[in-house]
Amino acid sequence: QVQLVETGGALVQVGGSLRLSCAPSGLMFSSYTMGWFRQAPGKEREFVAAISWSGGRTSYADSVKGRFTISRDNAKMYLQMNSLKPEDTAVYYCAVYGSFRVWDPLQVGALRKYNYWGQGTQVTVSS
């Protein structure tokens, strides 16, 4: 059974930093592209960043480029968030891309391409 556990969410002031972690289990983690998404109150879930199964390729939403960095090691995936803004406030989810060892830059931002999701971790940026 695939499980994803996100940690690291917190209340932080504008301009601050946070590092989110995603710990997967029940799958060949190193063989799947992974993604981070977020959902703010009253809004749809949106793409934040993705990283290829090899870790060598990444993709970011325009809203976070230059501020967020996605990474992974053999055990976990991470999202380093710097220069946080109030509009970054949301529940952040990690997810597993639905195809084995595939990196499709045109599809990595599509929610429907991900078939496993974590429970989310709350990030609140206060001004």
Side-chain angles (χ1 to χ4, degrees):
Q1 181 179 358
V2 176
Q3 288 190 321
L4 304 171
V5 179
E6 303 97 333
T7 56
L11 172 64
V12 64
Q13 292 189 335
V14 169
S17 298
L18 280 176
R19 190 193 195 202
L20 306 184
S21 297
C22 172
S25 61
L27 78 164
M28 292 176 63
F29 173 62
S30 62
S31 294
Y32 287 91
T33 286
M34 299 287 294
W36 285 101
F37 293 79
R38 67 186 181 186
Q39 188 166 17
K43 295 188 177 181
E44 295 186 351
R45 193 170 299 189
E46 65 176 6
F47 170 71
V48 174
I51 187 165
S52 65
W53 54 272
S54 67
R57 288 165 286 188
T58 58
S59 178
Y60 294 93
D62 288 343
S63 59
V64 306
K65 279 181 182 176
R67 300 188 298 122
F68 290 11
T69 302
I70 190 172
S71 62
R72 66 190 296 167
D73 58 26
N74 289 336
K76 294 184 179 181
M77 177 177 69
Y78 307 95
L79 186 67
Q80 178 67 43
M81 306 187 294
N82 299 328
S83 302
L84 284 162
K85 305 176 181 179
E87 51 264 44
D88 295 319
T89 295
V91 177
Y92 283 72
Y93 300 88
C94 67
V96 181
Y97 195 78
S99 300
F100 184 79
R101 290 192 176 182
V102 168
W103 174 258
D104 184 345
L106 298 180
Q107 295 292 333
V108 292
L111 273 72
R112 60 181 175 81
K113 301 297 288 186
Y114 292 79
N115 56 0
Y116 294 105
W117 295 81
Q119 83 291 345
T121 186
Q122 175 71 48
V123 172
T124 303
V125 184
S126 68
S127 55

